[in-house]
Amino acid sequence: MEPILSFRTLQKEAKKIDSNTKEIRVAVLGNHTTTFFSKALKNQLTVAGFDAQIYESDYDQIDITIIDAASGLYDFDPEVVVIFESALKLKDKFYAVDDNQHRAQFYTEVSDAVRNRISLIRANNSQAKIIYFTYELLDDHVYGNLFSKIPHSFYKQVWKINTDILNLSEVEQDFYVFDINKYLQGISDYRDWPAFINSDLHYSIDTFAVLTYHITQFIKALKGSFKKCLILDLDNTTWGGIIGDDGIENIQIGALGIGKAFSKLQKWAKELKERGIILAICSKNTEEVAKEPFEKHSEMVLRLKDISVFVANWKNKADNIRYIQEVLNIGFDAMVFIDDNPAERDIVRQSLPEVTVPELPEDPALYLPYLTSLNLFDTASYSDNDKDRTAQYQQEAERKKLISSVTNMDDYLKSLKMEGVIESFKEKDVPRIAQLTQRSNQFNLRTQRYTENDIKEFMTSEAHLTYAVKLKDKFGDYGLISVIILEKKADNSIFVDTWIMSCRVLKRGVEYYAINTIASDAAGMDAEIIVGEYLETPKNKLVADLLEKLSFGTTKTDHIYQLNISNFKPFKHYIS
């Protein structure tokens, strides 16, 4: 993982990409020259592995483009719409207002325009996710620090507009805020004034490269590709010094000196864990010695209860990361490995190229600023269930230990004492259900992504059947781990629109438990067949044979399968 690329380097990197498999259509609407922004976005998406198609509206024609139902925007049918207005143009519009009373209400005009744009995009049958730039906090220095007391100051109006946009994002589905001010902070000379005067280029081309990098991180999250696990080395990474040599009393951690840098890194990791990111330890150390600071050091922020998988031994770190991946059952591309040692980083990069390995600065004081600047853990969804991930994975580690003590799989499954619930979607589960459709990649038959609004529509649709599967065993509660959406067809068949399952419950028999219920319900509705479809992606080969395993037969059409309900025989499983 290198620093964010410049515009020209980004162009060169994009040209090296031979082919992409994931198509993405993104529309860019701006009130200024967005040509270089659009080019940078296409290149960032290409480097990220997308076949990116970009629609760019005509110069400063946002509202006309959105209002016109016959515009190219709707013919393009974008998955994502990026609306990027410059505060420099906003300032000119503000200055054109000729009295202070109207200037004091300027923010309401802009906020109303934002709402109207969203409504019109939806009214024209676009289901696109909208990413809306906040406005640069551009101080015209007319009122100085008195701006907050002057209702008609431009700077105060920008603050109010941005606050309204933030509030709007809390209630509008598929509407996301991109805070330009957060990313401009780290860029020196982010504006090229001569280019602005001569070409209406409101930001430098390298600033566009930075902004589109972060937009791409978020689009990846929207498309189900995001980081789930942070793996930490210990010595000189999580604390200063070497625990085996220096002892617990001499490692650097806490409020004094360089110890603050490590404490701040731990606090960041702790916050990520509270958000649902899995924390793991991978260290060349003796396990008892490595665990001692987590148990006994008074200034440690992280404790053993925060760590899902703790691996400390003298094996190759790449092999230990493979073990962590096996326990967590997530993709290597969902992992970030932090290590101060360049040689260890290089070994992991070569052995496990899918794992993200940031090139840490030499100075520990720069660890956290550098890592946060990369925005590695962007996400497009969150639910309260995320906070329970650490306990769930700790329980999974206990389950893996149990496997070694039983003689066969049937005995193991019986010993788990599993209890399941399969029911139609409930309102309280909507965030988790939507999250599963957005995040699940491996056990996912058709990889359809749905929002919370979509899920609510399925709940009230007479043409659909919905199933949410929950599971617990003697070690703990998995929670909601599988989502199935079926569509009733006019020919007395039922189509499997969505079948998703968390990989944490693989080989537990959940799919057999579910198909037994589905087949029974279908028979009760006098349906004759259930039709399934497997749409292959680079990540879902795990379910390539799922339908055949569930007694679906092949058809003349590739990837389409049928289950004759009258011939169905229930499967054996150990879920009560």
Side-chain angles (χ1 to χ4, degrees):
M1 171 65 69
E2 299 301 327
I4 299 169
L5 302 175
S6 69
F7 185 90
R8 289 181 175 84
T9 304
L10 178 62
Q11 282 185 304
K12 293 176 183 177
E13 290 300 311
K15 289 178 181 178
K16 296 178 184 178
I17 307 297
D18 294 326
S19 63
N20 303 283
T21 55
K22 299 173 287 185
E23 182 179 310
I24 181 78
R25 298 181 309 283
V26 182
V28 175
L29 312 181
N31 67 347
H32 55 105
T33 300
T34 56
T35 304
F36 289 105
F37 176 85
S38 297
K39 287 181 178 178
L41 181 57
K42 181 176 178 64
N43 288 333
Q44 294 282 13
L45 289 166
T46 299
V47 170
F50 290 97
D51 177 10
Q53 308 300 315
I54 306 293
Y55 168 87
E56 186 179 6
S57 68
D58 292 337
Y59 174 80
D60 199 12
Q61 298 295 309
I62 296 177
D63 292 306
I64 289 176
T65 302
I66 290 174
I67 290 169
D68 183 5
S71 74
L73 172 67
Y74 301 112
D75 287 339
F76 181 68
D77 189 24
E79 296 174 65
V80 178
V81 174
V82 178
I83 300 179
F84 182 8
E85 288 200 287
S86 168
L88 289 171
K89 278 283 184 71
L90 194 71
K91 184 171 69 172
D92 290 341
K93 190 175 180 180
F94 175 81
Y95 284 169
V97 178
D98 58 8
D99 69 271
N100 288 339
Q101 185 176 357
H102 285 131
R103 284 187 173 188
Q105 295 301 311
F106 179 76
Y107 75 98
T108 62
E109 177 186 336
V110 179
S111 299
D112 288 345
V114 175
R115 290 184 178 86
N116 191 49
R117 287 167 177 173
I118 297 170
S119 298
L120 286 168
I121 289 172
R122 298 296 178 231
N124 284 309
N125 296 318
S126 175
Q127 300 300 310
K129 293 172 173 59
I130 301 170
I131 299 176
Y132 212 100
F133 272 66
T134 58
Y135 294 89
E136 179 189 344
L137 287 170
L138 186 65
D139 191 354
D140 57 1
H141 299 288
V142 172
Y143 292 98
N145 283 322
L146 197 64
F147 80 93
S148 64
K149 294 183 178 294
I150 309 299
H152 55 269
S153 74
F154 175 69
Y155 196 38
K156 183 169 185 175
Q157 291 295 303
V158 178
W159 274 90
K160 285 189 168 185
I161 292 165
N162 286 345
T163 299
D164 278 359
I165 293 173
L166 291 176
N167 292 337
L168 185 61
S169 73
E170 293 185 7
V171 297
E172 281 286 345
Q173 290 293 325
D174 293 332
F175 176 79
Y176 305 94
V177 174
F178 183 85
D179 183 18
I180 190 171
N181 298 287
K182 179 167 60 175
Y183 301 114
L184 291 181
Q185 286 178 5
I187 309 172
S188 59
D189 300 324
Y190 63 79
R191 201 180 326 273
D192 183 340
W193 285 110
F196 165 67
I197 296 298
N198 296 321
S199 307
D200 199 42
L201 198 65
H202 287 221
Y203 300 96
S204 71
I205 58 174
D206 284 340
T207 299
F208 288 140
V210 173
L211 297 177
T212 55
Y213 167 84
H214 292 290
I215 286 279
T216 298
Q217 292 293 101
F218 185 63
I219 289 175
K220 285 168 63 179
L222 286 171
K223 295 288 283 184
S225 176
F226 50 88
K227 306 303 180 187
K228 300 178 181 178
C229 175
L230 174 61
I231 305 173
L232 294 166
D233 174 46
L234 294 179
D235 294 332
N236 292 313
T237 301
T238 301
W239 53 65
I242 301 172
I243 185 64
D245 294 339
D246 300 330
I248 188 172
E249 66 280 1
N250 293 316
I251 60 171
Q252 296 165 309
I253 189 76
L256 297 177
I258 197 63
K260 286 192 291 186
F262 299 103
S263 291
K264 289 184 180 298
L265 180 68
Q266 288 192 31
K267 288 176 182 177
W268 175 66
K270 177 91 168 183
E271 289 302 310
L272 288 174
K273 175 253 178 184
E274 291 299 314
R275 199 206 82 186
I277 298 299
I278 309 159
L279 299 187
I281 297 298
C282 180
S283 172
K284 282 187 176 178
N285 254 307
T286 302
E287 183 174 339
E288 306 84 65
V289 175
K291 285 184 174 179
E292 190 177 12
F294 291 88
E295 297 170 326
K296 298 179 181 178
H297 199 296
S298 62
E299 294 193 85
M300 279 286 288
V301 177
L302 295 175
R303 297 294 176 181
L304 288 180
K305 65 181 180 180
D306 299 313
I307 310 302
S308 294
V309 185
F310 196 109
V311 181
N313 55 40
W314 299 100
K315 295 180 182 178
N316 180 291
K317 286 190 178 178
D319 289 339
N320 282 336
I321 291 174
R322 288 188 183 96
Y323 170 76
I324 292 170
Q325 185 271 340
E326 181 183 346
V327 172
L328 299 178
N329 207 357
I330 61 176
F332 286 114
D333 61 345
M335 294 176 152
V336 176
F337 175 55
I338 308 296
D339 195 311
D340 71 296
N341 189 318
E344 297 288 5
R345 295 197 296 262
D346 192 53
I347 289 171
V348 173
R349 285 195 191 104
Q350 290 187 34
S351 302
L352 303 170
E354 289 182 277
V355 176
T356 296
V357 186
E359 191 65 17
L360 282 185
E362 291 186 12
D363 186 347
L366 300 177
Y367 284 1
L368 185 57
Y370 174 71
L371 290 170
T372 54
S373 75
L374 297 177
N375 195 26
L376 293 169
F377 294 96
D378 211 339
T379 185
S381 62
Y382 174 79
S383 73
D384 289 338
N385 182 265
D386 291 344
K387 295 184 293 185
D388 302 325
R389 290 184 184 278
T390 299
Q392 291 168 353
Y393 283 111
Q394 288 171 341
Q395 293 161 8
E396 186 60 24
E398 292 299 314
R399 294 182 184 102
K400 286 194 175 293
K401 290 179 184 177
L402 176 62
I403 292 178
S404 62
S405 68
V406 295
T407 57
N408 60 60
M409 196 64 181
D410 282 354
D411 288 345
Y412 170 65
L413 293 175
K414 289 177 186 176
S415 70
L416 288 176
K417 299 179 181 176
M418 293 181 287
E419 297 178 23
V421 173
I422 182 167
E423 59 187 1
S424 57
F425 293 172
K426 298 292 189 289
E427 182 73 29
K428 63 183 176 63
D429 293 324
V430 166
R432 172 61 176 162
I433 293 167
Q435 185 185 62
L436 273 174
T437 72
Q438 294 163 16
R439 289 188 169 193
S440 300
N441 293 306
Q442 296 181 79
F443 197 109
N444 194 333
L445 263 183
R446 301 183 67 243
T447 316
Q448 305 299 299
R449 309 295 188 190
Y450 291 123
T451 66
E452 291 185 23
N453 274 352
D454 295 329
I455 299 303
K456 290 175 182 177
E457 288 180 11
F458 284 128
M459 290 170 62
T460 58
S461 170
E462 294 184 0
H464 291 86
L465 300 171
T466 62
Y467 296 90
V469 185
K470 300 176 182 179
L471 188 71
K472 62 181 179 181
D473 63 19
K474 67 179 183 180
F475 291 107
D477 193 341
Y478 286 103
L480 200 160
I481 45 80
S482 186
V483 169
I484 302 160
I485 301 171
L486 307 179
E487 183 181 359
K488 294 183 279 187
K489 298 289 188 179
D491 62 358
N492 224 26
S493 67
I494 293 175
F495 177 69
V496 182
D497 173 272
T498 296
W499 194 323
I500 293 168
M501 189 171 75
S502 168
C503 289
R504 292 185 293 117
V505 294
L506 284 178
K507 299 182 180 179
R508 301 289 193 273
V510 175
E511 60 267 43
Y512 301 124
Y513 172 64
I515 194 63
N516 287 356
T517 300
I518 291 168
S520 175
D521 289 351
M525 294 185 298
D526 295 325
E528 297 174 358
I529 60 171
I530 301 175
V531 179
E533 179 182 32
Y534 168 60
L535 297 179
E536 183 179 341
T537 71
K539 293 186 177 182
N540 75 344
K541 292 180 177 62
L542 177 69
V543 291
D545 62 348
L546 172 67
L547 294 170
E548 291 180 86
K549 283 168 54 180
L550 297 178
S551 299
F552 284 71
T554 57
T555 67
K556 293 180 180 179
T557 305
D558 286 347
H559 307 305
I560 298 293
Y561 302 80
Q562 290 186 355
L563 173 62
N564 189 319
I565 296 170
S566 62
N567 296 332
F568 177 76
K569 295 181 180 178
F571 286 92
K572 180 179 75 171
H573 59 78
Y574 296 97
I575 301 173
S576 61

